[in-house]
């Protein structure tokens, strides 16, 4: 009996296990026990089952007063049980309020972190902008001083020549001393003035050398400032790592809330079982009520015989009707409380999950923005350093290829520093790790690859020289990367996408006063011979012995521009015209079948787009060049099985690629002599490898285990290329009306 348990000292605080210890804060309120005769009572499952299974025993069957008292006591205990359920619901609501307060505090902390990170980003952008301005002004001053120095040297040479002429005249005058004594004195005075001028020029030359050393010191300070910017970028990366830690903590909180939701669902199931048992007990009470009504009817029939029991019978009828009303009210209260508890639990848990999901999405968005900022700063630092950027792309496995029985030969590190930039290669159970500016996994689409280089293509319209070339073994996907698959819009390569972007940007810049003229040329280097792929003379493009009758010599001017003699250069107005020219060049290009590739490129393909722009409002002129190069694939004779003409082609390809490696090796060691002239390929790429252009190399990798050796060589070569410094890119721009410049 519950009443007996309450009187025997089993009174204790409500929910000591379900809700945990409560904080005695001003906002916390203990569960209300108003109207309870037993104080704060905790009902266990056994107590509720005992209450529902209790059967009222009577000493006398006809003692209705005793039966009514026992029934009233039973109803009081049922009310106490229902009040306990209501207090349980209030405690659940209190715990939910505490969880909401904790979530608000976490959101406030994240907002503070976001504000501090945004301020740091703005400060870093201001520092980088100031460094750029200082660096550009230093370059301008250095160029100006160099021109003045050259002019001074020229005047000094002229004065030396004049001095030699004076000395010759003096020798002639000594023979005629008696005839022209006055002319001798005048010549001596001129010699003295020339000597004075020579001394002045020497002093001026020394002052120019001092000023040049001062400018060199300013340049060193600019480099130190750039290093400080790199350190601040490292701090930003660490902040991003901290944000990821907070993101993982939020995920743990979400998991904890899900666990608490599961526990609440279990408790709800238990409560539903108890409600079902209460319903059974309620049905039993209804049966007893019906039994009482039948007895009442029996008593009414006997009332005529026993008039003395009329008052008792009336009291019993009133008691039974009141008991029926009370049972009905209790049933309605149980249904209402069950519905409210269910709705509140699900709504609160659903809102909590939605809030946590929104927080996770915001953290992911901030992570993406931080990665974009890191890429932008990384590209800026690389431009200032002058390094060649290197992207690595791994093609997917083709049908019929396998990756060996011991697992994948290529893997990608998952750490924050190397995510999207690192690649690991396994060879003979030895792991080789490489880090590049970007690494594309096999399932990367052509559009995603182009997005990474779109800003570099935009630089060509801004007046820079840009070079992008693909390197790798035969069958690694170089031509697919550069040209794509014909007839499939989604698999277009970099060359068609670059042209589409350039023409779209040209159209959008017309509103700002810019007008651009575009010229296209395409050539291939086949067996160390240059072929014009746009030539209408088929004999000039392809001959039996591989030697073109036209001699296409390569020349570089003083501005770093490359010119190929007798090369066809066509003006283009739309991307459709360029697509037609690309198809024409693809038909003329040398391809062949080997054991490694059905259609192997047997030559180096060079696509050049010359861009000339004029702004009519500012009279500014820009001249940019975009070189897109698909190199022939390196291959081993043992795997390709080349013979005859294919053997000669393979030897020529490997020789030119070996010369490219020698040039990269010399640039990496900063040697005085770089062997550009060892092959037509390296001599053609000289401005891209050792000039002032923005250069990017794609290293294409085949993932099958049989190509591990070639893949390792390609990755090592790409790492050496990435370490080369070729100088800071220089924008080619000038003003149309030069007579406006002052001479000061």
């Amino acid at each position: 009996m519950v009443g007996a348990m309450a009187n025997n000292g089993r009174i204790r605080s409500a929910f000591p296990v379900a809700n945990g210890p409560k904080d005695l804060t001003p906002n916390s309120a203990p569960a209300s026990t108003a109207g309870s005769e037993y104080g704060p009572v905790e009902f266990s499952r056994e107590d509720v089952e005992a209450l529902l299974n209790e059967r009222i025993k009577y000493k006398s069957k006809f003692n209705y007063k005793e039966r009514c008292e026992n029934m009233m006591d039973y109803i009081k205990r049922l009310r106490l049980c229902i009040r306990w359920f209501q207090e349980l619901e209030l405690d659940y609501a209190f715990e939910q309020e505490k969880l909401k307060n904790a979530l608000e505090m976490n959101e406030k902390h994240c907002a503070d972190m976001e504000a501090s990170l945004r301020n740091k980003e703005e400060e870093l952008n201001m520092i980088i902008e100031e460094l750029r301005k200082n660096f550009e002004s230093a370059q301008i001053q250095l160029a100006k001083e160099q021109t003045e120095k050259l002019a001074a040297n020229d005047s000094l040479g002229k004065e030396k020549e004049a001095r030699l002429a004076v000395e010759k005249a003096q020798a002639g005058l000594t023979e005629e001393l008696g005839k022209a004594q006055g002319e001798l004195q005048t010549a001596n005075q001129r010699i003295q003035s020339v000597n004075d001028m020579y001394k002045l020029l020497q002093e001026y030359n020394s002052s120019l050398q001092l000023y040049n050393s001062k400018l060199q010191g300013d340049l060193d300070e600019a480099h130190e400032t750039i290093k400080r910017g790199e350190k601040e970028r490292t701090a930003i990366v660490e902040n991003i790592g901290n944000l990821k830690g907070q993101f993982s903590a939020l995920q743990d909180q979400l998991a904890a809330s899900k666990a608490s939701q599961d526990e609440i669902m279990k408790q709800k199931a238990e409560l539903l079982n108890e409600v079902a048992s209460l319903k059974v007990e309620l049905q039993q009470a209804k049966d007893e009520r019906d039994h009482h009504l039948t007895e009442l009817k029996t008593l009414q029939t006997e009332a005529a015989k026993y008039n003395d029991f009329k008052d008792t019978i009336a009291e019993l009828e009133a008691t039974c009707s009141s008991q029926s009303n009370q049972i009905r009210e209790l049933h309605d209260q149980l249904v209402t409380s069950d519905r409210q508890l269910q709705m509140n639990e699900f709504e609160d848990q659903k809102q909590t999950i939605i809030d946590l999901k929104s927080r996770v999405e915001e953290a992911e968005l901030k992570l993406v923005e931080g990665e974009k900022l890191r890429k932008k700063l990384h590209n800026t630092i690389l431009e200032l350093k002058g390094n060649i950027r290197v992207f690595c792309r791994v093609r997917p496995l083709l049908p019929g290829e396998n990756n060996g029985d011991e697992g994948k030969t290529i893997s990608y590190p998952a750490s924050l520093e190397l995510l999207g930039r690192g690649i690991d290669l396994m060879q003979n159970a030895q792991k080789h790790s490489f880090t590049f500016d970007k690494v594309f996994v096999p399932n990367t689409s052509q559009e995603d690859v182009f997005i990474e280089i779109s800003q570099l293509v935009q630089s060509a319209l801004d007046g820079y020289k840009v070079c992008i070339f693909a390197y790798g073994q035969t069958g690694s996907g170089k031509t697919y990367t550069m040209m794509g698959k014909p007839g499939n819009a989604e698999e277009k390569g970099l060359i068609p996408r670059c042209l589409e972007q350039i023409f779209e940007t040209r159209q959008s810049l017309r509103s700002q006063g810019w007008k651009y003229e575009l010229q296209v040329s395409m050539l291939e280097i086949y067996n160390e011979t240059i072929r014009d792929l746009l030539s209408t003379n088929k004999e000039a493009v392809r001959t039996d012995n591989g030697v073109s009758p036209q001699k296409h010599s390569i020349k570089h001017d003083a501005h770093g521009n490359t010119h190929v003699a007798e090369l066809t250069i066509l003006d283009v107005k739309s991307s459709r015209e360029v697509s037609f020219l690309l198809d024409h060049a693809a038909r003329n290009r040398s391809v062949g079948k080997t054991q490694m590739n059905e259609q192997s490129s047997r030559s180096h393909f060079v696509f050049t787009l010359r861009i000339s722009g004029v702004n009519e409002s500012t009279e500014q002129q820009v001249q940019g060049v975009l070189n897109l190069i698909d190199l022939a694939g390196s291959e081993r004779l043992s795997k390709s099985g080349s013979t005859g003409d294919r053997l000669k082609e393979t030897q020529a390809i490997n020789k030119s690629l070996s010369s490219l490696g020698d040039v990269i090796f010399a640039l990496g060691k900063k040697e005085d002599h770089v062997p550009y002239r060892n092959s037509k390929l390296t001599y053609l790429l000289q401005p891209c490898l050792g000039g002032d252009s923005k250069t990017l190399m794609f290293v294409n990798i085949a993932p099958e285990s049989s190509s591990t050796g070639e893949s390792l060589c390609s990755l090592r070569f790409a790492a050496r290329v990435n370490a080369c410094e070729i100088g800071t890119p220089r924008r080619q721009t000038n003003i149309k009306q030069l007579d406006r410049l002052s001479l000061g």
Side-chain angles (χ1 to χ4, degrees), residues 139 153 156 171 307 348 573:
Q139 279 187 331
N153 289 332
L156 181 61
N307 292 328
D348 293 341
K573 303 295 183 181

Side-chain angles (χ1 to χ4, degrees), residues 298-352:
T298 305
L299 290 174
Q300 286 177 351
T301 57
E302 295 177 355
K305 299 179 182 180
Y306 302 100
N307 292 328
D308 296 337
F309 297 106
K310 284 184 177 180
D311 297 333
T312 307
I313 291 171
E315 292 177 358
L316 288 174
E317 288 178 353
T319 303
C320 288
S321 62
S322 63
Q323 288 178 354
S324 299
N325 294 330
Q326 290 175 357
I327 291 171
R328 194 176 297 107
E329 291 176 358
L330 290 173
H331 182 266
D332 294 338
Q333 290 178 1
L334 280 174
V335 173
T336 304
S337 62
D338 184 28
R339 289 178 180 175
Q340 290 179 353
L341 181 62
Q342 184 177 4
M343 292 297 294
N344 292 333
E345 287 176 357
F346 278 105
E347 288 179 359
D348 293 341
Q349 292 296 330
K350 191 181 293 182
Q351 186 64 32
T352 303

Side-chain angles (χ1 to χ4, degrees), residues 288-299:
E288 289 182 359
R289 184 197 64 179
D290 295 338
H291 181 66
H292 290 160
L293 290 174
T294 55
E295 288 182 352
L296 181 60
K297 290 179 180 179
T298 305
L299 290 174

Side-chain angles (χ1 to χ4, degrees), residues 23-36:
D23 298 332
L24 298 177
T25 60
N27 295 327
S28 64
S32 174
T33 59
S36 175

Side-chain angles (χ1 to χ4, degrees), residues 266 458 507:
K266 291 180 182 178
Q458 179 64 35
Q507 185 68 24

Side-chain angles (χ1 to χ4, degrees), residues 56 121 146 153 192 256 378 461 470 473 480 531 732:
I56 303 174
E121 179 183 353
Q146 285 179 349
N153 289 332
Q192 185 65 31
H378 180 68
L461 282 170
Q473 71 177 99
Y480 176 78
R531 289 177 173 180
Q732 294 183 343

